[in-house]
Amino acid sequence: MASRARLFKEYKEVQREKTADPDIQLVCDDSNIFKWTALIKGPSETPYEGGVFQLAFAVPEQYPLQPPQVRFLTKIFHPNVHFKTGEICLDILKNAWSPAWTLQSVCRAIIALMAHPEPDSPLNCDSGNLLRSGDMRGFQSMARMYTRLAAMPKKG
């Protein structure tokens, strides 16, 4: 029951603060408070700039004592995101979780991870290898290409 109350509280806050954070649009599933989606804007001055990325949240019954499961539904070329499944390698979604985190702050942390990848714990080895070998140009061109293909509205 505590998890439902907490999620309803977060839902009300999201409704109230819709314009406060233009980079994040969190939406609760109409029929299930434990399923959410988010649209996040790619951070500026990164290869993801201009893209809009969709995330899926599966919130456990033990929330906020346990973290939500979050994954990218939009394809993204990033060392800490599994290219096929969208799984995200982020400490706060695993061992560094705290009940103080909200779904909104998790979105913020994911945006920060997009701007500051951690190539030493890659889920996407191709992306991680480009960064570890110092090939920023190669990484950025691949990330930009996938952002254009998957995260930007089609013209025409």
Side-chain angles (χ1 to χ4, degrees):
M1 260 346 253
S3 59
R4 279 183 196 279
R6 165 72 181 260
L7 286 167
F8 277 119
K9 182 180 171 207
E10 288 191 36
Y11 177 77
K12 285 181 186 144
E13 282 174 24
V14 165
Q15 297 308 308
R16 199 171 46 242
E17 296 175 15
K18 267 195 166 124
T19 54
D21 199 339
D23 295 341
I24 300 168
Q25 184 185 347
L26 256 171
V27 180
C28 177
D29 184 292
D30 288 341
S31 60
N32 186 347
I33 190 86
F34 295 100
K35 298 230 177 290
W36 293 63
T37 55
L39 294 175
I40 59 174
K41 289 185 181 169
S44 59
E45 297 179 30
T46 72
Y48 311 108
E49 184 173 13
V52 176
F53 299 84
Q54 187 174 18
L55 303 171
F57 285 77
V59 183
E61 297 268 348
Q62 299 80 7
Y63 181 81
L65 300 177
Q66 287 183 359
Q69 290 182 323
V70 188
R71 64 187 182 91
F72 275 88
L73 295 177
T74 308
K75 289 275 182 236
I76 182 171
F77 187 77
H78 188 285
N80 309 112
V81 180
H82 192 285
F83 190 73
K84 284 191 168 66
T85 65
E87 178 191 351
I88 303 166
C89 181
L90 184 60
D91 60 353
I92 63 149
L93 295 175
K94 309 244 181 328
N95 55 348
W97 174 256
S98 158
W101 287 90
T102 64
L103 301 182
Q104 183 90 4
S105 59
V106 167
C107 289
R108 273 266 136 246
I110 292 170
I111 292 170
L113 181 69
M114 289 170 76
H116 305 284
E118 294 289 339
D120 293 330
S121 61
L123 282 173
N124 179 330
C125 291
D126 294 335
S127 176
N129 288 340
L130 284 171
L131 285 174
R132 280 200 306 264
S133 69
D135 188 356
M136 281 304 288
R137 196 166 161 208
F139 165 75
Q140 289 183 336
S141 68
M142 287 293 290
R144 251 193 311 278
M145 179 187 78
Y146 278 106
T147 298
R148 277 197 208 104
L149 288 172
M152 289 184 164
K154 309 285 182 269
K155 292 187 175 85

